[in-house]
Amino acid sequence: MRLRNIPGASEEMLVNPFVIQNPEQYKGHWSEHICNGKPLYIEIGMGKGQFIMALAAAHPDIFYIGIERYSSVLLRALQKMEQQPLDNVLFIRMDASTITDVFGTDEVERIYLNFSDPWPKDRHAKRRLTSKEYFQRYDAFLKENGQVEFKTDNRDLFDFSLEQVPLAGWRIEACTFDLHHDAEMNPGNVMTEYEEKFSALGNPIHKMIVKR
Amino acid sequence: MRLRNIPGASEEMLVNPFVIQNPEQYKGHWSEHICNGKPLYIEIGMGKGQFIMALAAAHPDIFYIGIERYSSVLLRALQKMEQQPLDNVLFIRMDASTITDVFGTDEVERIYLNFSDPWPKDRHAKRRLTSKEYFQRYDAFLKENGQVEFKTDNRDLFDFSLEQVPLAGWRIEACTFDLHHDAEMNPGNVMTEYEEKFSALGNPIHKMIVKR
């Protein structure tokens, strides 16, 4: 994603009602304090929020939290929320590496990872959101039968992820190398901004669903 | 593999002591009649037999059966056996599609698939040895904790297989896109004839280990 610093974005994060401040304070208490008892689905690296907000609009019985590292990107989602507010989605501005400080045992039912940063250098492999190190983090807060859904157009990242899943002791529940032409996995697919642009060029989207 | 018809190959299959005649007769009785109580590992599409014979020599406590469709190819393995006989490996000349007529419940502990025919046309997908249809066949005779080990240099076939495994309800236990440079999966790797030639060109070998 092209990143452009937007003046005032960081400050907006601190005052916008849709951004959760000090999310660590809710660890172990998301259900009663934030989600009204609804199942919690999160997207790590939500970008401008098109995907998670479309899901939230379609599934009022689920509570969604979008996590994004960059204030300037998250700001776009906040602008959409002001135009069309939803009462079952909130956002956190943070780096995912500290996510286990935020969510406790069994608090999350589903994790979406869409077009995650590939961190192409080998020495940065542990930063990839589908590394075995990250699966260990997810272990700490994903419910027993919860799942990770991962989409990408980056073939190298997808291959890496296919290798990491069994190394982490997880299970590939479903896998396709061409999501938009997959009769089983495509129905119900909600596209991200990036996915719309990229797939319009005729390039395949890869997707896996992973469980423990 | 280049196939050349060798006159007399078919006839040799009917009389060679290392080729099991009418293997269906042993269904349900492999352990007592053939394997002397040893665990049974099979290779489907064994080609000229370098892989399975190296394994058999290294693991005298395992019984191996190599299956090959083409008499002219299997003949090469028989010639090797005459020079260097092994008492824990035998061969079957058959098409794998009828394999459930040969092996019964829990009779096989491991299945090796090496550089299997990719059957590149979509309408032939069910003939691929890693199709979900074949995994259903393996279900009928693979032991509870048994495994399928699959190697190939064919990326399309490997991708297809990655999609089929979860569709079949099986589990990818380990996966690498570059076996010869994989610190966990490469040690102990026994190369096939084809693998030696192909990897010498610097091309990667893909491998997965699959369980139920």
Side-chain angles (χ1 to χ4, degrees):
Chain A
M1 189 182 312
R2 217 180 315 161
L3 289 177
R4 196 167 28 172
N5 187 48
I6 299 176
S10 301
E11 293 74 12
E12 178 67 21
M13 295 305 123
L14 301 175
V15 297
N16 191 292
F18 298 118
V19 179
I20 299 168
Q21 304 302 321
N22 305 316
E24 301 82 0
Q25 67 181 305
Y26 299 111
K27 185 174 175 176
H29 307 286
W30 285 97
S31 182
E32 64 266 35
H33 289 321
I34 303 287
C35 310
N36 291 318
K38 294 176 182 176
L40 174 57
Y41 290 12
I42 67 173
E43 183 183 8
I44 307 177
M46 49 160 283
K48 299 175 190 166
Q50 173 173 310
F51 175 84
I52 198 169
M53 288 163 75
L55 282 187
H59 303 285
D61 294 341
I62 308 288
F63 200 93
Y64 294 87
I65 292 181
I67 297 171
E68 173 56 46
R69 202 172 8 156
Y70 297 110
S71 300
S72 300
V73 177
L74 179 49
L75 192 65
R76 301 299 185 199
L78 298 176
Q79 289 164 346
K80 282 181 207 158
M81 277 287 271
E82 275 151 29
Q83 286 164 11
Q84 226 173 348
L86 291 160
D87 65 2
N88 62 330
V89 57
L90 288 173
F91 307 107
I92 299 175
R93 210 245 19 101
M94 68 177 287
D95 186 289
S97 62
T98 59
I99 195 165
T100 53
D101 296 340
V102 172
F103 299 109
T105 310
D106 292 341
E107 289 203 302
V108 174
E109 289 216 8
R110 188 172 295 182
I111 301 170
Y112 292 106
L113 307 173
N114 292 316
F115 302 90
S116 310
D117 191 333
W119 290 103
K121 288 178 185 157
D122 278 350
R123 65 189 162 89
H124 290 155
K126 289 180 186 181
R127 300 187 191 178
R128 297 170 194 153
L129 293 178
T130 51
S131 64
K132 62 182 192 299
E133 289 79 9
Y134 266 96
F135 280 113
Q136 279 168 7
R137 292 187 173 102
Y138 306 151
D139 256 330
F141 60 79
L142 193 68
K143 273 203 166 172
E144 178 71 20
N145 205 31
Q147 64 192 40
V148 176
E149 299 199 8
F150 170 50
K151 287 196 284 195
T152 185
D153 60 292
N154 186 309
R155 187 54 199 257
D156 287 341
L157 179 63
F158 197 71
D159 290 354
F160 168 82
S161 310
L162 283 166
E163 293 178 345
Q164 294 286 297
V165 168
L167 281 178
W170 289 52
R171 179 191 184 99
I172 296 162
E173 194 70 16
C175 169
T176 176
F177 289 87
D178 190 359
L179 174 62
H180 296 178
H181 296 97
D182 189 286
E184 303 219 14
M185 292 180 78
N186 194 44
N189 182 46
V190 172
M191 288 208 258
T192 72
E193 291 95 336
Y194 184 88
E195 185 174 357
E196 282 179 351
K197 283 184 205 162
F198 189 83
S199 64
L201 302 170
N203 294 315
I205 305 298
H206 320 309
K207 179 176 179 180
M208 63 173 76
I209 297 175
V210 182
K211 291 188 175 188
R212 278 170 301 191
Chain B
M1 188 180 315
R2 215 179 318 160
L3 288 178
R4 193 166 32 170
N5 188 47
I6 299 177
S10 301
E11 293 73 13
E12 179 65 22
M13 296 305 124
L14 302 176
V15 298
N16 191 293
F18 299 118
V19 179
I20 300 168
Q21 305 301 323
N22 305 316
E24 299 82 1
Q25 66 182 305
Y26 299 110
K27 184 174 177 177
H29 307 286
W30 286 97
S31 182
E32 64 265 37
H33 289 322
I34 302 287
C35 310
N36 290 317
K38 294 176 183 176
L40 174 56
Y41 290 12
I42 67 174
E43 184 184 7
I44 307 177
M46 50 161 281
K48 299 174 190 166
Q50 172 172 311
F51 175 84
I52 197 168
M53 288 164 73
L55 282 187
H59 302 285
D61 294 340
I62 308 287
F63 201 94
Y64 294 87
I65 291 180
I67 297 171
E68 174 55 47
R69 203 174 5 160
Y70 296 109
S71 301
S72 301
V73 177
L74 180 49
L75 191 64
R76 301 299 185 198
L78 298 176
Q79 290 164 346
K80 282 180 207 160
M81 277 287 270
E82 275 151 30
Q83 285 163 12
Q84 226 174 349
L86 292 159
D87 65 3
N88 61 330
V89 58
L90 288 173
F91 307 107
I92 300 174
R93 213 250 7 107
M94 68 177 285
D95 187 290
S97 61
T98 59
I99 195 165
T100 53
D101 295 340
V102 171
F103 300 109
T105 311
D106 292 339
E107 288 203 302
V108 174
E109 290 218 8
R110 187 171 296 183
I111 301 169
Y112 292 107
L113 307 173
N114 292 316
F115 303 90
S116 310
D117 190 333
W119 291 103
K121 289 179 185 157
D122 278 351
R123 65 188 162 88
H124 290 154
K126 289 181 187 181
R127 299 187 190 178
R128 299 171 194 152
L129 293 178
T130 50
S131 65
K132 62 182 192 298
E133 288 79 8
Y134 265 96
F135 280 113
Q136 279 169 7
R137 291 187 174 104
Y138 306 150
D139 256 331
F141 60 80
L142 192 68
K143 272 202 167 174
E144 177 72 20
N145 205 32
Q147 65 191 40
V148 176
E149 298 201 9
F150 170 50
K151 287 196 283 196
T152 184
D153 60 292
N154 186 308
R155 188 53 198 258
D156 287 341
L157 179 62
F158 197 72
D159 290 354
F160 168 82
S161 309
L162 284 166
E163 294 178 345
Q164 294 285 298
V165 168
L167 280 179
W170 289 51
R171 178 191 185 98
I172 295 162
E173 195 70 15
C175 168
T176 177
F177 289 87
D178 190 359
L179 175 61
H180 296 179
H181 296 95
D182 189 287
E184 303 218 15
M185 292 180 78
N186 194 43
N189 182 45
V190 173
M191 286 208 259
T192 73
E193 290 96 337
Y194 184 87
E195 186 175 358
E196 281 180 351
K197 282 185 206 164
F198 189 82
S199 63
L201 302 172
N203 294 314
I205 305 296
H206 320 310
K207 179 175 179 180
M208 64 173 76
I209 297 175
V210 183
K211 290 189 174 187
R212 276 169 302 191

